[in-house]
Amino acid sequence: MIEEELRRAAFGDSPDLDVWSALSAPDSRSRWLAAVVLGGQGHYAAAATTLDALRHDPDPVIASLSLSTRASHHRQLGAHHLARRLDGAALSRVQSADRDDQDGIDAAGARTDALLGLAADSLGAQRLGEARGLLARVETHSWRSEVRRGWVTAEIELASGHAEAAVAPAEAAYGVATSRKALRHELKSALVLGTSLVVWGTPDGLNRGVELVECELNHSAAKGLHPLIWPSALVLVGHAPTVGAVAIDRATEALSCVLRRADAVSRQVALESPWVPTGLLRSGEPPNADPQMNFLTD
């Protein structure tokens, strides 16, 4: 596969592309892009094998990005403590802030990914002051960094009980991702924005939020983006009664699929994590963890 195809799958309009053959590509950038795509599809174990090898790549940018990507997969399964070590290592790998890539596959982008990952790790550990401090150190030089900063900013505000303040950064992230036609990022941004509006709870915001999340859920399901399906479905429970029962079924199916595709360590951590609603797999009902306050930032 050529790099342009892989970029379209990782950061463009083809997140459901079959990229398995690129895992054996001769260049490390293509292998990293393939792992990004597979992670977005929920193939965590396959992505982990590639990312764990690339963390030792002689190119410090690829090594750093691989560590951050692996960390994001841990975070999506509730393992913020495992992600933190990897994000810290990712930050240490990049000593410059050179930028020359529109998608942030450069030193500046790698540094931003690591800092945003560390902020999300702190958020997961409920250290909100630390998360804000790390976020303040972030400089964005690519559209992807702008989108991810918007996600983390919104999540920190939600976790702080400031849902109204979460809407603007979520809206900004959604606008950038949509303008770039970066479908996976657009769908994740719709989830963050929709949830911010739902939690804020104004009548107009609630209606728009439910509409955004429901539309995002349908698109994520159509593209096989399982890591986005289960949190989206749970947001709708209690806020869209007509789809609530169906949403629970979709969340259960998607989470089951994600865990089947995860490596053994990640699967065990997820089953033990308070962030992941694994009660769905046992009783069909979500546990006490509140999906509105946690999007497991990638």
Side-chain angles (χ1 to χ4, degrees):
M1 299 184 70
I2 61 175
E3 184 175 315
E4 182 181 355
E5 290 178 303
L6 290 169
R7 284 187 186 247
R8 282 185 61 191
F11 308 129
D13 60 359
S14 305
D16 55 340
L17 194 68
D18 182 344
V19 299
W20 290 92
S21 63
L23 292 178
S24 57
D27 63 296
S28 58
R29 178 176 294 197
S30 292
R31 296 197 299 278
W32 174 73
L33 285 167
V36 169
V37 177
L38 290 172
Q41 296 170 357
H43 293 287
Y44 288 136
T49 300
T50 297
L51 294 171
D52 287 346
L54 287 174
R55 64 192 295 181
H56 305 293
D57 196 80
D59 181 344
V61 169
I62 293 300
S64 177
L65 288 169
S66 297
L67 285 159
S68 293
T69 305
R70 182 75 165 107
S72 76
H73 297 168
H74 277 313
R75 218 166 21 249
Q76 289 161 30
L77 292 175
H80 299 80
H81 62 295
L82 297 180
R84 183 181 178 87
R85 293 198 294 269
L86 296 178
D87 284 318
L91 185 60
S92 71
R93 294 294 175 90
V94 282
Q95 304 301 320
S96 72
D98 295 339
R99 52 186 188 271
D100 57 9
D101 188 273
Q102 64 176 355
D103 296 321
I105 310 178
D106 50 29
R111 177 178 172 80
T112 297
D113 278 3
L115 283 170
L116 286 172
L118 285 167
D121 299 331
S122 297
L123 173 60
Q126 301 181 40
R127 295 193 291 265
L128 298 180
E130 183 177 282
R132 289 185 185 276
L134 288 160
L135 184 63
R137 295 172 57 187
V138 169
E139 297 179 1
T140 60
H141 302 287
S142 72
W143 68 269
R144 189 170 63 84
S145 295
E146 289 180 22
V147 169
R148 297 188 72 244
R149 181 175 64 179
W151 295 346
V152 177
T153 303
E155 292 171 14
I156 290 174
E157 296 299 343
L158 282 172
S160 302
H162 305 146
E164 182 178 358
V167 173
E171 190 85 71
Y174 182 62
V176 172
T178 302
S179 69
R180 293 293 305 191
K181 295 182 172 57
L183 184 55
R184 182 170 60 87
H185 291 74
E186 180 182 344
L187 293 173
K188 172 66 181 287
S189 298
L191 169 60
V192 176
L193 174 57
T195 305
S196 299
L197 289 166
V198 164
V199 176
W200 185 18
T202 65
D204 289 344
L206 182 60
N207 290 336
R208 184 187 175 210
V210 168
E211 182 179 332
L212 274 168
V213 176
E214 190 170 2
C215 183
E216 177 270 322
L217 171 60
N218 291 333
H219 277 85
S220 295
K223 292 294 184 179
L225 305 179
H226 295 281
L228 289 177
I229 294 172
W230 65 263
S232 305
L234 291 183
V235 169
L236 294 175
V237 175
H239 297 287
T242 58
V243 299
V246 175
I248 284 289
D249 289 341
R250 296 180 84 171
T252 302
E253 180 181 355
L255 183 56
S256 297
C257 185
V258 165
L259 293 180
R260 284 197 305 271
R261 295 173 174 178
D263 59 278
V265 172
S266 297
R267 186 163 52 250
Q268 185 59 41
V269 169
L271 291 171
E272 297 172 352
S273 173
W275 287 106
V276 179
T278 49
L280 286 171
L281 308 180
R282 296 186 293 273
S283 66
E285 295 294 334
N288 293 331
D290 186 353
Q292 296 175 2
M293 297 301 183
N294 179 62
F295 311 109
L296 308 174
T297 305
D298 69 0

